[in-house]
């Protein structure tokens, strides 16, 4: 079993930055894809980005949702077993609870990486608030 814990959320003014971290514990060697999703009040959970790799030391393939448009960056630290999401140029519409997810499958398909149901493990989420 894999446990995921997000941190780094908070309140930031429009145009500002935050760095979210997802720490994995447990059977982390089985993880092959880690992703971030977000859910705003009254909306469905949506895909933000994902990293997938074939082996623990293999380079990651990275996928992003269209709305990211270069503002967000995924960073994987193998030694720390973390998958961070750097959020830059934040907008009020980025306000949401951000969730980390993981699965033991690797993928070369962004549509697969973007499906919430494909992931077996989820964190509790961290709130990001950007006032308008």
């Amino acid at each position: 079993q894999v446990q995921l814990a997000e941190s780094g959320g908070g309140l930031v003014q429009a145009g500002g930055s935050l760095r979210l971290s997802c720490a994995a514990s447990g059977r982390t060697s089985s993880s092959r894809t880690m992703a971030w999703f977000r859910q705003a009040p009254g909306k469905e959970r949506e895909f933000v980005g994902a990293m997938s790799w074939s082996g623990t030391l293999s380079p990651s393939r990275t996928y992003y949702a269209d709305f990211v448009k270069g503002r967000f960056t995924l960073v994987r630290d193998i030694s720390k077993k973390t998958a961070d999401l750097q959020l830059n140029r934040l907008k009020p519409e980025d306000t949401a609870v951000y969730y980390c997810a993981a699965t033991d499958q690797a993928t070369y398909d962004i549509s697969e990486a973007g499906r919430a149901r494909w992931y077996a493990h989820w964190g509790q989420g961290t709130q990001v608030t950007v006032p308008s």
Side-chain angles (χ1 to χ4, degrees), residues 95-128:
T95 294
V97 177
Y98 284 70
Y99 295 92
C100 179
T103 179
D104 61 359
Q105 301 177 68
T107 184
Y108 292 85
D109 184 350
I110 187 173
S111 61
E112 186 168 56
R115 264 201 315 269
R117 294 174 64 179
W118 189 61
Y119 293 88
H121 310 289
W122 290 85
Q124 293 301 307
T126 185
Q127 176 72 45
V128 172

Side-chain angles (χ1 to χ4, degrees), residues 2-52:
V2 175
Q3 293 81 41
L4 303 174
E6 303 96 336
S7 61
L11 187 148
V12 62
Q13 297 302 311
S17 299
L18 278 176
R19 189 177 181 99
L20 308 182
S21 185
C22 175
S25 60
R27 293 185 58 187
T28 57
S29 60
S30 65
S31 294
R32 291 290 182 266
T33 302
M34 294 184 73
W36 285 90
F37 288 75
R38 70 184 188 182
Q39 188 166 17
K43 295 187 177 181
E44 293 187 355
R45 190 168 297 191
E46 67 175 346
F47 173 69
V48 177
M51 295 182 292
S52 190

Side-chain angles (χ1 to χ4, degrees), residues 21-89:
S21 185
C22 175
S25 60
R27 293 185 58 187
T28 57
S29 60
S30 65
S31 294
R32 291 290 182 266
T33 302
M34 294 184 73
W36 285 90
F37 288 75
R38 70 184 188 182
Q39 188 166 17
K43 295 187 177 181
E44 293 187 355
R45 190 168 297 191
E46 67 175 346
F47 173 69
V48 177
M51 295 182 292
S52 190
W53 54 93
S54 301
T56 303
L57 300 180
S58 300
S60 305
R61 297 176 294 280
T62 308
Y63 311 103
Y64 295 101
D66 288 344
F67 69 81
V68 169
K69 295 182 179 178
R71 297 186 300 127
F72 300 170
T73 304
L74 287 162
V75 180
R76 176 187 171 210
D77 189 317
I78 297 174
S79 61
K80 296 181 180 179
K81 299 179 181 179
T82 58
D84 290 0
L85 180 65
Q86 177 66 41
L87 309 173
N88 296 324
R89 305 198 306 275

